[in-house]
């Protein structure tokens, strides 16, 4: 079994910063890419930032220059440093791990995508 556990959300004033973390646990053999998505009330889930296993990154236009995604492959952990936060960044942020291959018992599973439970980020004006 694989679990993604996010942390670091909370309430911050406009212009402030937060750092989100997402750790994948389980008998993981490999993870292809990892990413952060967000969903604001009444809106669809959207990609915020994405990082491939080799480190290549891409960002939503709305967060370029303000957010930075990074990952620690040895720890199966991805981070999202969010600076200069705006009220429109308010959303539930979800971590995603793509094409995860893992072992459970004596069997191999995957590749399959996994999602975290989400962490709420609220930016006050």
């Amino acid at each position: 079994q694989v679990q993604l556990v996010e942390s670091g959300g909370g309430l911050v004033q406009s212009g402030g910063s937060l750092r989100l973390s997402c750790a994948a646990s389980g008998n993981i053999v490999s993870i292809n890419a990892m990413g952060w998505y967000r969903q604001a009330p009444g809106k669809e889930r959207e990609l915020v930032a994405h990082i491939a296993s080799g480190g290549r990154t891409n960002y939503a236009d709305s967060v370029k220059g303000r957010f930075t995604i990074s990952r620690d492959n040895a720890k199966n952990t991805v981070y999202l440093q969010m600076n200069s936060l705006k009220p429109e960044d308010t959303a539930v942020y979800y971590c995603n791990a793509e094409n995860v291959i893992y072992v459970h018992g004596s069997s191999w599973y995957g590749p399959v995508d996994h999602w975290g439970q989400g962490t709420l980020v609220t930016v006050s004006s």
Side-chain angles (χ1 to χ4, degrees), residues 37-104:
Y37 292 73
R38 68 186 180 188
Q39 187 166 18
K43 295 188 178 182
E44 294 186 353
R45 189 174 298 189
E46 63 175 359
L47 174 68
V48 176
H50 182 270
I51 183 166
S53 57
R56 184 173 62 185
T57 60
N58 67 284
Y59 297 90
D61 288 344
S62 59
V63 307
K64 282 181 181 177
R66 300 188 297 122
F67 291 10
T68 302
I69 189 171
S70 60
R71 66 187 284 182
D72 184 333
N73 290 331
K75 296 181 179 179
N76 291 323
T77 299
V78 64
Y79 306 95
L80 185 68
Q81 178 66 43
M82 305 185 294
N83 299 328
S84 302
L85 282 160
K86 304 176 181 180
E88 51 263 44
D89 294 317
T90 295
V92 177
Y93 284 70
Y94 296 92
C95 171
N96 172 262
E98 294 179 11
N99 294 336
V100 181
I101 297 175
Y102 64 99
V103 176
H104 182 63

Side-chain angles (χ1 to χ4, degrees), residues 2-50:
V2 173
Q3 284 191 320
L4 302 184
V5 179
E6 298 126 335
S7 61
L11 173 65
V12 64
Q13 289 188 332
S14 181
S17 297
L18 283 175
R19 188 184 192 225
L20 305 183
S21 299
C22 171
S25 63
N27 292 324
I28 295 170
V29 176
S30 65
I31 299 175
N32 185 11
M34 300 187 79
W36 289 96
Y37 292 73
R38 68 186 180 188
Q39 187 166 18
K43 295 188 178 182
E44 294 186 353
R45 189 174 298 189
E46 63 175 359
L47 174 68
V48 176
H50 182 270

